[in-house]
Amino acid sequence: EYYPGAFKAKTWVLNTGRGCPFKCTFCINQHSSQKWRFKNPGRLINEIQAIIDKFNPDFIHFQDDLFFSNQERIFKFIEEYYKRGWQFKFFTLTFANYFTDTYINRKMLAWFEGKAVWLGMGVESGSEEIRCQLNKQISNDKVIEVVAAFKDIDVKFGLAFMTGIPIENRQNRFETIKFIDRLSKINKNCSFVLQAWRPYPGGQLYETAK
């Protein structure tokens, strides 16, 4: 799908960090045992270069829960991608509130073309009220802004939603379905996944469900 004309492509999966700086109540990273830690810019660059030197992959899957969690590291990654003449393409996850004038802006989105083949983002619910209770501080307007921004660039974009959340009701579920429908009309290149909420023992929402 991302490599026209080829039946096989070499893909390397790389974890550049563990955990997440956010504490959404539904997520395993909210559990007290989970710590957020990430490789510093220098180590990240050296690791990528070693992978390229040994395997020369067509794609790298940055399998972090949130690859863009540290601005300094992302800016260094972009700088070194240019300087070292890297050719690999990548896919990973991001966060709606990182789309600002000083971080993931129009200039960075334009840079993504030809390099980032897919970016994913969790929205979780079409209800701002439910999202707030999940400690997912993203407004509907912000989600719409991000989805609209991807209309102008050739990068596939995916959004994840959940259902079966213990604190939602029937109306909230329909809000999610209607919001997905609205977003799909704004940008027909977006893909969506609607998955069941997964209870992680010890997490806040797990205790609520009990």
Side-chain angles (χ1 to χ4, degrees):
E1 183 179 357
Y2 303 131
Y3 204 57
F7 294 100
K8 292 183 179 180
K10 290 183 290 183
T11 302
W12 185 269
V13 180
L14 177 62
N15 281 96
T16 73
R18 299 279 186 175
C20 178
F22 297 101
K23 295 297 180 181
C24 302
T25 63
F26 62 87
C27 184
I28 195 170
N29 287 311
Q30 183 267 335
H31 193 279
S32 59
S33 66
Q34 299 300 303
K35 307 298 181 185
W36 176 48
R37 60 270 195 211
F38 59 91
K39 296 169 184 174
N40 63 49
R43 181 178 172 185
L44 170 64
I45 299 306
N46 290 339
E47 232 174 87
I48 293 173
Q49 188 62 61
I51 290 165
I52 290 171
D53 292 343
K54 189 170 184 178
F55 301 104
N56 192 29
D58 302 300
F59 298 92
I60 292 181
H61 175 195
F62 294 114
Q63 197 177 236
D64 301 39
D65 288 322
L66 197 53
F67 180 60
F68 289 83
S69 57
N70 183 273
Q71 289 191 38
E72 176 191 2
R73 202 176 63 151
I74 293 299
F75 291 143
K76 183 66 175 176
F77 167 69
I78 292 173
E79 177 187 342
E80 293 297 323
Y81 194 104
Y82 273 125
K83 286 170 59 175
R84 296 171 185 249
W86 290 340
Q87 298 297 315
F88 69 87
K89 303 179 191 301
F90 64 92
F91 45 102
T92 192
L93 299 175
T94 185
F95 184 63
N97 288 347
Y98 289 163
F99 287 75
T100 65
D101 291 339
T102 56
Y103 193 15
I104 305 180
N105 51 27
R106 293 284 177 177
K107 184 177 180 181
M108 188 181 288
L109 285 176
W111 181 83
F112 283 151
E113 285 196 286
K115 304 171 188 70
V117 293
W118 183 88
L119 293 175
M121 187 177 83
V123 179
E124 318 316 343
S125 175
S127 164
E128 287 189 344
E129 177 187 357
I130 294 297
R131 217 177 295 136
C132 183
Q133 292 183 62
L134 294 174
N135 201 27
K136 189 94 174 183
Q137 307 298 336
I138 307 171
S139 69
N140 282 355
D141 286 344
K142 189 64 180 181
V143 176
I144 291 168
E145 175 193 330
V146 174
V147 169
F150 274 83
K151 285 174 61 176
D152 303 323
I153 65 168
D154 186 20
V155 176
K156 293 184 183 295
F157 191 55
L159 301 176
F161 290 82
M162 293 188 300
T163 190
I165 304 169
I167 56 176
E168 74 177 359
N169 56 33
R170 188 171 185 271
Q171 179 183 340
N172 298 141
R173 295 187 192 103
F174 275 101
E175 285 182 74
T176 295
I177 294 167
K178 289 176 181 177
F179 194 47
I180 291 173
D181 182 58
R182 182 181 178 186
L183 295 172
S184 69
K185 291 173 180 174
I186 293 171
N187 186 344
K188 296 186 183 302
N189 292 323
C190 270
S191 60
F192 304 90
V193 59
L194 181 60
Q195 55 194 345
W197 168 69
R198 297 181 295 276
Y200 295 114
Q204 186 175 333
L205 202 55
Y206 177 85
E207 296 302 322
T208 299
K210 284 203 303 182

